Amino acid sequence: IPAMRLKQTFWGTVSAEGISLDRSVLEKHFFVKEVAKKDDQGGADKQAEGKTVVNLLDLKRANNVGILLSRLKATPVDIRKAIETLDESKLSLDNCKSLIKLAPTDDEKALLAEFKGDPAKLGLPEQFFMEMLKIPRLVTRLEAFVFTREFTAKVAELREDVRLINLGALEVAKSSRLRSLLQLVLALGNSMNMGTNAAEAMGFKISGILKLKDTKSNKGQYTLLHYLVNLVEGRKLNLLDLAEQMPNVKP
């Protein structure tokens, strides 16, 4: 956690100072001794002479970034340039989506901003994040890039849905049975509300139909919906088979 944010968290109230640990026990159970390699001439053992690597990111986060970098097979600088130029030959759709998920968080940005050392000493995931921070509106840029590349395919997928919606809407508008059934429901509602301000209504919201099953008789078992169905069947109005006139309107 960046030092500037500690006071806002639980860690601003506690400290590890004053807690002593037996380091020998830790070394016994958790430390692995490095075996020094001999040179080709069998000379004296040498210490690893590689430069010290500075790791700032959480281990799991760094591993996820490392996996992505191995897939991209490019340096952090080359990846930055590919994003800036929106190079489709170097950025697959899946990789773009992964880059969005692995974009630096606010905490990671603050953590990297506090680093004042040599950037060359940072680990590869940290160097990658450093390059990503140079791109204005990184996530917005990548999301727009993904959208433009998926647009044609999404339109093709939605075209059939739009056709069915239009067809269903036309069937609803032309259904004589639905029109007659709604007229019957309106008359039923006005009759139930006779003597109140709600009587003599000229129409109702379609969501009002749901109240038919909620309006129960004084015995509690019989509903207004039961009454409507019995009324239609008793008068042989042939209004219940709506699907015959609206085959493309489905749940």
Side-chain angles (χ1 to χ4, degrees):
I1 301 176
M4 66 181 69
R5 295 177 179 266
L6 282 178
K7 292 183 179 180
Q8 305 172 15
T9 70
F10 159 80
W11 300 109
T13 64
V14 298
S15 172
E17 294 181 3
I19 300 177
S20 60
L21 299 173
D22 188 343
R23 186 171 174 79
S24 63
V25 176
L26 293 174
E27 292 178 349
K28 176 181 177 181
H29 292 285
F30 303 106
F31 285 39
V32 178
K33 293 183 179 179
E34 293 186 3
V35 179
K37 297 181 180 179
K38 294 185 178 181
D39 59 21
D40 294 338
Q41 287 77 29
D45 294 342
K46 296 191 297 183
Q47 295 287 341
E49 297 178 354
K51 64 180 180 180
T52 302
V53 177
V54 179
N55 298 312
L56 302 175
L57 300 178
D58 171 80
L59 181 59
K60 182 178 179 180
R61 183 75 161 161
N63 285 339
N64 289 336
V65 173
I67 293 172
L68 175 60
L69 292 176
S70 66
R71 286 211 317 258
L72 289 170
K73 297 179 181 179
T75 66
V77 173
D78 288 339
I79 296 172
R80 171 177 59 78
K81 292 180 179 179
I83 295 174
E84 289 175 337
T85 59
L86 302 178
D87 190 341
E88 293 187 17
S89 66
K90 296 181 179 179
L91 297 173
S92 70
L93 196 55
D94 287 340
N95 285 337
C96 285
K97 293 179 179 179
S98 296
L99 284 167
I100 293 173
K101 293 179 181 178
L102 291 177
T105 64
D106 289 340
D107 286 340
E108 288 165 344
K109 291 176 183 178
L111 186 64
L112 293 168
E114 289 183 350
F115 179 73
K116 304 302 181 183
D118 182 2
K121 292 184 178 181
L122 289 172
L124 193 57
E126 286 79 5
Q127 291 184 31
F128 168 74
F129 271 10
M130 282 292 197
E131 292 298 323
M132 294 302 98
L133 293 179
K134 297 177 182 179
I135 304 175
R137 301 179 298 279
L138 170 65
V139 173
T140 303
R141 175 185 289 263
L142 286 170
E143 287 176 340
F145 193 33
V146 169
F147 176 80
T148 57
R149 296 173 70 177
E150 290 184 330
F151 181 77
T152 302
K154 286 185 178 295
V155 168
E157 292 175 3
L158 293 173
R159 185 170 283 115
E160 178 62 14
D161 292 339
V162 172
R163 186 188 71 82
L164 290 175
I165 290 174
N166 289 334
L167 189 57
L170 186 62
E171 291 173 351
V172 168
K174 290 184 175 181
S175 174
S176 58
R177 290 177 183 174
L178 179 61
R179 186 182 300 108
S180 298
L181 186 62
L182 292 178
Q183 288 175 333
L184 191 57
V185 173
L186 178 62
L188 180 58
N190 283 335
S191 180
M192 291 285 292
N193 292 320
M194 186 175 295
T196 70
N197 294 332
E200 299 183 5
M202 302 298 292
F204 60 89
K205 293 181 179 179
I206 198 68
S207 58
I209 292 180
L210 299 176
K211 295 180 181 180
L212 292 173
K213 66 180 180 62
D214 297 327
T215 306
K216 297 183 179 180
S217 66
N218 47 25
K219 294 184 179 180
Q221 300 295 323
Y222 195 67
T223 69
L224 207 53
L225 181 60
H226 289 119
Y227 175 82
L228 178 64
V229 172
N230 290 335
L231 179 64
V232 171
E233 289 182 339
R235 295 186 179 183
K236 299 180 180 180
L237 299 177
N238 191 28
L239 300 179
L240 299 181
D241 192 6
L242 297 175
E244 186 175 326
Q245 291 186 341
M246 299 184 295
N248 289 289
V249 180
K250 300 177 182 178

